Amino acid sequence: MFAARKASQSVLGAVNRRAFSASAAQLTKVAVLGAGGGIGQPLSLLLKLNPRVSELALYDIKGAPGVAADVSHINTKSVVKGYDAGAESLKEALTGAEIVLIPAGVPRKPGMTRDDLFNTNASIVRELAKAAAEACPNANMLIISNPVNSTVPITAEVFKSKGVYNPKRLFGVTTLDVVRASRFISQVKSTDPANESVTVVGGHSGATIVPLLSQSGIELKGEELAAYIKRVQFGGDEVVQAKGGAGSATLSMAMAGARFAESLLKAAQGEKGVIEPTFVESPLYKDQGVTYFASNVELGKDGVEKIHPVGKVTAHEQELLDVCLKDLKTNIEKGEKWVKENP
Ligand SMILES: NC(=O)c1ccc[n+]([C@@H]2O[C@H](COP(=O)([O-])OP(=O)(O)OC[C@H]3O[C@@H](n4cnc5c(N)ncnc54)[C@H](O)[C@@H]3O)[C@@H](O)[C@H]2O)c1
Ligand SMILES: O=C(O)C[C@H](O)C(=O)O
């Protein structure tokens, strides 16, 4: 009897130890800045459903406590806290965060380019980046706010100015482009999008979004190919038009942002072979003066583990890449110049 109880206690002990080490590995605080917005709300919902998240800090200049109270009733373990506007509450929201997602800023209306958002969103991202560089300098920074091609370099410059820049932990979220590329090709081919994976490289706006269909072994020709490429490059405009002035993609973006955060969490918790496309400081086209570029990136415990090369492309894809690189260089330099002049 005594021996049996002792044996069962030691089994329980082992189970508890396992449970403890599993939960210790999964103690991850995630902060969403802009949590009250069109992306922020469904993104917060999806993060609340993620068992890898232990604490969710929701910050916005308006509405975050309401969103937090709402999602906090969902019966998953994570603790949710909402933070009102203000430097102190922003600092509190960020302290201890391992992942910071930034969807704060204004969205497009019909007729606007993402670059038209620069004047408003550059300073929003700069201020949030400053707070993060101080409160959680080692966090993974996931930039969603447009224009991503410029807001990522702005964030990098802010972190550099505070002496805490780590290129392995700064990501422009371009996941929505591959989500679209997969969905749109499945519509062309009448297949299941779950089985369709298309590499997309470059940046996140119009001609800087370059789908490399040839790498999936898919051959579209002529008008069909042109229409497919245009749809991937300008998928965001489809949503902007359809919403008629009420904003841009929010729900599909929340899914894409949650997917990228989940991939980072998996990699941070030791899973190998986690690959996502993302816009990072990249050596791939540095010789042409393009210092950030989105390609497939293997994620690891410390963020970026390996930046995959672009790989084999067709002559037509190379032409698309050439246009992309020209635009990207301009977008990146614009962000860097602006933040140096407006620190
Ligand atoms: N990377 C992508 O693929 C992608 C996809 C879709 C949208 N976006 C971009 O994401 C951004 C947000 O889009 P949305 O539809 O959620 O817009 P939205 O207007 O619905 O929400 C933005 C939120 O940001 C908040 N905000 C503004 N200034 C802030 C500050 N200083 N601190 C904290 N919060 C602040 C607002 O209060 C608002 O709640 C836009 O710039 C949009 O272009 C990017
Ligand atoms: O199109 C936009 O402005 C939002 C976003 O960048 C998108 O691709 O949907």
Side-chain angles (χ1 to χ4, degrees):
M1 170 82 165
F2 176 71
R5 193 182 317 142
K6 223 175 153 193
S8 81
Q9 275 170 352
S10 76
V11 169
L12 280 177
V15 169
N16 285 339
R17 273 197 303 281
R18 265 204 304 277
F20 174 75
S21 61
S23 63
Q26 288 171 9
L27 285 178
T28 306
K29 177 174 175 180
V30 177
V32 180
L33 312 182
I39 296 168
Q41 293 201 31
L43 178 58
S44 302
L45 165 67
L46 294 172
L47 292 167
K48 177 67 175 123
L49 297 177
N50 189 328
R52 296 178 200 268
V53 177
S54 61
E55 195 179 337
L56 198 49
L58 305 183
Y59 174 84
D60 199 302
I61 51 170
K62 58 173 196 270
V67 177
D70 193 351
V71 297
S72 76
H73 289 188
I74 293 170
N75 60 343
T76 56
K77 266 189 181 170
S78 50
V79 175
V80 186
K81 202 163 166 204
Y83 297 87
D84 275 322
E88 269 315 301
S89 63
L90 177 56
K91 184 175 167 192
E92 209 188 308
L94 287 168
T95 301
E98 286 170 47
I99 295 186
V100 178
L101 291 123
I102 307 190
V106 291
R108 284 196 287 163
K109 289 189 191 309
M112 291 171 84
T113 66
R114 292 179 184 78
D115 190 54
D116 293 334
L117 305 172
F118 187 99
N119 288 344
T120 311
N121 289 352
S123 49
I124 292 175
V125 172
R126 178 195 60 196
E127 291 312 299
L128 295 173
K130 278 184 194 168
E134 279 163 20
C136 53
N138 299 319
N140 294 295
M141 299 294 296
L142 278 54
I143 311 299
I144 294 171
S145 314
N146 271 316
V148 166
N149 297 353
S150 303
T151 50
V152 168
I154 288 172
T155 306
E157 292 307 311
V158 169
F159 272 64
K160 280 180 203 168
S161 72
K162 305 254 178 205
V164 293
Y165 176 55
N166 178 355
K168 292 183 164 194
R169 295 213 181 270
L170 174 60
F171 308 89
V173 181
T174 57
T175 323
L176 184 53
D177 300 320
V178 290
V179 168
R180 285 183 178 136
S182 146
R183 179 60 186 144
F184 298 165
I185 198 65
S186 81
Q187 289 174 309
V188 175
K189 289 171 58 194
S190 300
T191 53
D192 181 348
N195 301 326
E196 300 292 356
S197 156
V198 178
T199 304
V200 183
V201 298
H204 179 67
S205 71
T208 71
I209 301 171
V210 182
L212 301 175
L213 207 48
S214 67
Q215 294 187 358
S216 312
I218 298 167
E219 229 190 294
L220 298 183
K221 288 206 170 85
E223 276 178 23
E224 201 174 29
L225 176 64
Y228 173 76
I229 291 171
K230 182 157 184 260
R231 193 163 183 219
V232 174
Q233 292 188 323
F234 295 93
D237 295 57
E238 256 182 47
V239 183
V240 171
Q241 288 297 336
K243 291 197 176 179
S248 54
T250 53
L251 305 173
S252 48
M253 180 58 232
M255 173 270 170
R259 167 177 143 175
F260 190 71
E262 161 75 352
S263 292
L264 259 181
L265 286 165
K266 276 189 199 161
Q269 291 166 8
E271 202 170 308
K272 297 284 169 211
V274 181
I275 297 173
E276 285 286 355
T278 170
F279 186 69
V280 292
E281 184 177 326
S282 172
L284 297 182
Y285 293 99
K286 240 177 194 157
D287 60 344
Q288 296 184 44
V290 178
T291 42
Y292 297 83
F293 191 81
S295 67
N296 281 332
V297 171
E298 185 164 343
L299 304 169
K301 282 201 159 100
D302 300 318
V304 173
E305 182 111 349
K306 184 179 173 208
I307 295 175
H308 287 248
V310 165
K312 206 167 163 226
V313 298
T314 63
H316 180 241
E317 288 166 349
Q318 186 56 53
E319 281 169 24
L320 296 174
L321 267 172
D322 292 340
V323 177
C324 155
L325 290 170
K326 201 164 147 284
D327 283 7
L328 257 187
K329 191 167 184 292
T330 309
N331 297 158
I332 293 165
E333 287 173 357
K334 180 174 177 177
E336 290 176 338
K337 182 167 183 285
W338 177 86
V339 75
K340 279 176 189 148
E341 288 168 0
N342 302 276

